[in-house]
Amino acid sequence: MTKIKESSSISLNKGLAELTCPVTYVMNKIGGHWKPIIIYQLREDAKRYSELRRAIPIITEKMLIQSLKQLEADNLVIRKAEPVVPPFVTYSLSPSGRELVPLMNMMAEWAIQDSGRVML
Amino acid sequence: MTKIKESSSISLNKGLAELTCPVTYVMNKIGGHWKPIIIYQLREDAKRYSELRRAIPIITEKMLIQSLKQLEADNLVIRKAEPVVPPFVTYSLSPSGRELVPLMNMMAEWAIQDSGRVML
DNA sequence: CATGATACATACTTTGGGGTAAGTACTTGT
DNA sequence: ACAAGTACTTACCCCAAAGTATGTATCATG
């Protein structure tokens, strides 16, 4: 009885993990280097694309727009485009996105505690 | 004035993000497909290596041991090896690791809510 | 004497996320 | 006429995380 190979499980696993593991579900939504930072920037008020760019100068335009698209697809942020020229596009947190903020605060608290912990 | 290039920023960014962003700090500790699942398995009691393997049959031994090593290095789990043969090794959550459990529960709650949300 | 169980280790390959760099389309300012 | 600002898009590359497969050392059991 040879092992049965079931079609490269790399992406399969990801789906499975997301189904079984809610933590992975969250990670997939707010994971990646930039998404939490973007969410943090939008925690209070909506911001224009260019405002975000200036608020996070280290990010490339590609990554910014890519992250924003993903956040929008996962409807954590809402994109509002006024059909004027030059374009005027604002991004803001959706209800789901807003509910993420206290969660991120908890993560921050844990991070502070953990980084200050002394091991015996 | 040409742009100044500051030594391939890929790993630099990661470090910077971790310093500035506590969420990223958390992600780096419990990110990856397997770590949250392992922590979940250990949330109540310690488990042997082989118990973990059987509890998460889809994981490969390489990934299991790798994740465990990283969790140990970040001292979220504690490895206890009895010098007998056959080897008897148990893994359990450290204090830091245990404090992660309520955080993960919050993530789970958000995940449930979010996945059940209807978009208008 | 070979198989299975214990708990790993290690070489090799794949793949997708992130980075670099450049282009697009349209208008205002000088 | 040309730079600058708006908000993107696209082609290409690189690397680290994850996966595949196999090896190791010891003992018990059939």
Side-chain angles (χ1 to χ4, degrees), chain A residues 4-25:
Chain A
I4 293 144
K5 193 173 182 181
E6 64 276 61
S7 73
S8 74
S9 60
I10 183 155
S11 50
L12 238 160
N13 277 359
K14 207 171 179 179
L16 233 163
E18 179 157 350
L19 283 177
T20 26
C21 179
V23 176
T24 303
Y25 179 90

Side-chain angles (χ1 to χ4, degrees), chain A residues 12-57:
Chain A
L12 238 160
N13 277 359
K14 207 171 179 179
L16 233 163
E18 179 157 350
L19 283 177
T20 26
C21 179
V23 176
T24 303
Y25 179 90
V26 175
M27 301 282 192
N28 288 344
K29 302 264 175 187
I30 65 170
H33 294 324
W34 304 113
K35 288 186 196 171
I37 297 169
I38 293 170
I39 293 170
Y40 181 78
Q41 288 296 328
L42 298 176
R43 93 213 99 113
E44 308 243 278
D45 40 13
K47 288 219 169 98
R48 293 186 65 176
Y49 174 80
S50 50
E51 287 183 290
L52 283 170
R53 238 181 42 213
R54 279 188 292 269
I56 318 167

Side-chain angles (χ1 to χ4, degrees), chain B residues 56-75:
Chain B
I56 318 168
I58 200 182
I59 200 175
T60 63
E61 291 200 68
K62 181 205 166 194
M63 289 317 295
L64 178 54
I65 199 77
Q66 196 177 96
S67 308
L68 283 169
K69 293 282 168 206
Q70 287 171 18
L71 288 168
E72 198 196 349
D74 289 333
N75 68 306

Side-chain angles (χ1 to χ4, degrees), chain B residues 9 13 48 50 53-54 61-62 65 79 87 89 91:
Chain B
S9 61
N13 277 358
R48 294 186 63 176
S50 51
R53 240 179 42 213
R54 278 188 293 268
E61 291 200 68
K62 181 205 166 194
I65 199 77
R79 194 187 100 111
V89 182
Y91 292 91

